[in-house]
């Protein structure tokens, strides 16, 4: 049976609300995900929240009921609460019907098998949570083996990233690694490291991509450091015909990823 | 000579700050753009702010000086102010060095010549300012003739859209039209209307795109209405191999736009 919390002063509410803050996420190893669509996506991939908050008003929704049952069957905590408290947890005036508290699950390089997919996405010092979430969605769509986050990227478990990922956070493996770990791991097996760059004349369509391709995107403002570009097997660029001189990092990653996908399929 | 405003109570400050609000933008026909990079991009394309606010600390920066001179030569108002007031204008603790107030400049369909470009972007009921800004950047990069906003899209002159466009707002024509105006205009000249859809089996790579191609993207959550899809000469889809069932709208637009560009370039 779900229990009920209706007092905003309940210490659990404060603790969960604090997960909007990176330091608390790190200390607890937990993060927040909101919304029936994202939590259902998570459930379908076998990820259940340790705590599930839902409003009484939505308790009869079949997808909410399915979530409550699954969480309780797995030994988790299903908590009925008020719209006000949900709004406080989600930081939105118009809160989603459900908020889940999940255990973080990023992996290390030695936990992945590069042979399971022909394409891997790699992002270096990505700073914008919306871009990271969007890249996770793209990774899911192109069937990437995973997203490898290099050096100090924005937290993949921030509320903003989870929201922008529309559930893809749960469907595609996320790996965190320093560049100094990534390069030896990469070179210990098959694979081509392809960097997106403005410092090359090689058009992205004029290249054959082998499998596995590791597609490396740099920081939104600076692009890739010179030393990282030097490590790439191949640098490619997208044509830019306009007056502005850049593309959004998530967009550039997606255009590249779809080209690699088309070649691998065709 | 620039004049100086250091009192937050100055009525002009309140008036400019109000431009963060859509209703005031509409009433005044003015909008805000922030940051030296974006304002310099605007200047290079011949768009100057009617009012330019800058902090004394940055007055010696050559690009700020160039902006001040250009604004004053054009009869505009250059105003030196405090970091605090800049922060209030921009809504950010860490304000950009400059804030400009520009006249809105969206066009109507009869003001554009479809023959000037082989690719046009068309977006219907787009709701996210970040997506709109990102699509403007993509439009600039692929050399699109312009972005045609159909029905009730998010305001292209909102602070968030301008920021996300990274200056592309100034480099690519923006047109606003109702669907009932757009279709007769489209059919009165050459061009192929290509809709992005989940309701087709036709892969986007298996199609020849003629010029001009009008690439139509629907609302982030709902996609295109059935009647709009029925009007398209062609519906195409992007492969989606994952478990989540959608791509970000700006990403899908960009992948399509780069495919059309690659075909047009030969």
């Amino acid at each position: 049976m779900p229990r009920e919390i209706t007092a905003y002063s309940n210490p659990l509410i404060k603790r969960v609300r604090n997960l909007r803050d990176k330091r608390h996420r790190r200390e607890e190893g937990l993060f927040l995900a909101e919304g029936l669509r994202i939590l259902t996506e998570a459930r379908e991939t076998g990820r259940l929240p340790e705590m599930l908050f839902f409003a009484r008003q939505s308790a009869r929704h079949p997808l909410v009921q399915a979530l409550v049952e699954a969480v309780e069957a797995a030994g988790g905590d299903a908590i009925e609460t008020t719209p006000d408290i949900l709004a406080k947890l989600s930081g939105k005036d118009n809160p989603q019907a459900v908020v889940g508290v999940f255990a973080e699950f990023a992996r290390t390089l030695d936990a992945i098998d590069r042979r399971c997919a022909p394409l891997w996405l790699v992002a270096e010092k990505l700073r914008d949570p919306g871009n990271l979430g969007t890249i996770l969605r793209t990774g899911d769509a192109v069937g990437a083996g995973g997203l490898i986050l290099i050096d100090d990227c924005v937290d993949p478990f921030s509320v903003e990233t989870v929201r922008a990922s529309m559930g893809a956070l749960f469907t595609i493996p996320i790996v965190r690694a320093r560049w100094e770990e990534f390069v030896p791991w990469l070179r210990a097996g098959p694979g081509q490291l392809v960097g997106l760059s403005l410092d090359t004349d090689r058009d992205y369509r004029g290249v054959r991509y082998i499998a596995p391709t590791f597609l490396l995107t740099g920081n939104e403002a600076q692009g890739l450091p010179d030393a990282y570009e030097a490590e790439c097997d191949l640098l490619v660029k997208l044509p830019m015909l306009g007056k502005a001189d850049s593309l959004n990092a998530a967009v550039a990653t997606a255009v590249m990823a779809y080209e690699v996908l088309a070649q691998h399929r065709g």
Side-chain angles (χ1 to χ4, degrees), chain A:
Chain A
M1 266 293 285
R3 62 189 172 116
E4 204 181 29
I5 295 183
T6 55
Y8 186 61
S9 57
N10 187 301
L12 184 62
I13 300 302
K14 185 174 180 197
R15 189 180 143 214
V16 171
R17 186 176 156 71
N18 278 344
L19 295 176
R20 303 176 60 75
D21 181 73
K22 187 173 178 174
R23 184 170 61 83
H24 286 98
R25 285 198 297 277
R26 187 123 317 161
E27 281 171 17
E28 299 239 28
L30 297 171
F31 71 99
L32 288 172
E34 306 165 2
L36 204 43
R37 175 180 164 162
I38 290 181
L39 266 65
T40 297
E41 191 91 62
R43 177 171 63 80
E44 285 171 356
T45 62
R47 300 255 182 215
L48 289 167
E50 303 197 348
M51 290 175 249
L52 174 73
F53 295 85
F54 61 98
R56 184 173 308 155
Q57 289 83 334
S58 47
R60 289 216 185 116
H61 190 297
L63 287 175
V64 174
Q65 288 185 340
L67 275 168
V68 169
E69 280 166 27
V71 166
E72 296 200 317
D77 202 0
I79 299 157
E80 192 173 293
T81 188
T82 67
D84 271 4
I85 288 179
L86 277 182
K88 289 288 182 179
L89 293 181
S90 75
K92 280 181 153 180
D93 291 341
N94 183 14
Q96 304 261 16
V98 289
V99 173
V101 176
F102 291 81
E104 288 193 359
F105 49 76
R107 310 172 193 209
T108 53
L109 287 167
D110 53 17
I112 59 174
D113 173 13
R114 72 181 74 197
R115 289 174 187 80
C116 78
L119 172 60
W120 294 78
L121 304 182
V122 189
E124 177 257 343
K125 280 205 181 70
L126 207 69
R127 286 293 154 82
D128 183 85
N131 284 342
L132 179 48
T134 301
I135 290 175
L136 286 167
R137 282 174 87 180
T138 300
D140 176 84
V142 298
L147 172 62
I148 301 171
L149 297 173
I150 300 289
D151 300 345
D152 298 315
C153 285
V154 63
D155 185 0
F157 300 107
S158 75
V159 172
E160 297 79 13
T161 305
V162 175
R163 197 179 284 154
S165 85
M166 298 287 283
L169 179 82
F170 294 102
T171 65
I172 167 174
I174 297 172
V175 176
R176 289 200 264 210
R178 308 296 308 175
W179 180 253
E180 304 77 45
E181 304 166 73
F182 172 68
V183 173
W185 173 87
L186 177 74
R187 298 310 177 195
Q192 182 186 39
L193 183 63
V194 178
L196 259 166
S197 172
L198 298 171
D199 304 327
T200 177
D201 291 326
R202 193 180 284 120
D203 189 273
Y204 80 114
R205 303 273 288 210
V207 166
R208 286 295 308 167
Y209 300 102
I210 63 162
T213 294
F214 291 85
L215 192 54
L216 176 61
T217 308
N219 169 268
E220 288 94 341
Q222 272 95 41
L224 291 168
D226 291 347
Y228 291 27
E229 289 197 345
E231 183 64 40
C232 289
D233 299 302
L234 211 56
L235 292 177
V236 295
K237 67 160 187 180
L238 299 175
M240 302 228 222
L241 311 183
K243 297 186 193 106
D245 65 346
S246 75
L247 272 172
N248 170 277
V251 157
T253 301
V255 173
M256 277 297 305
Y258 266 96
E259 174 62 20
V260 174
L261 175 66
Q263 288 196 16
H264 286 166
R265 295 178 101 195

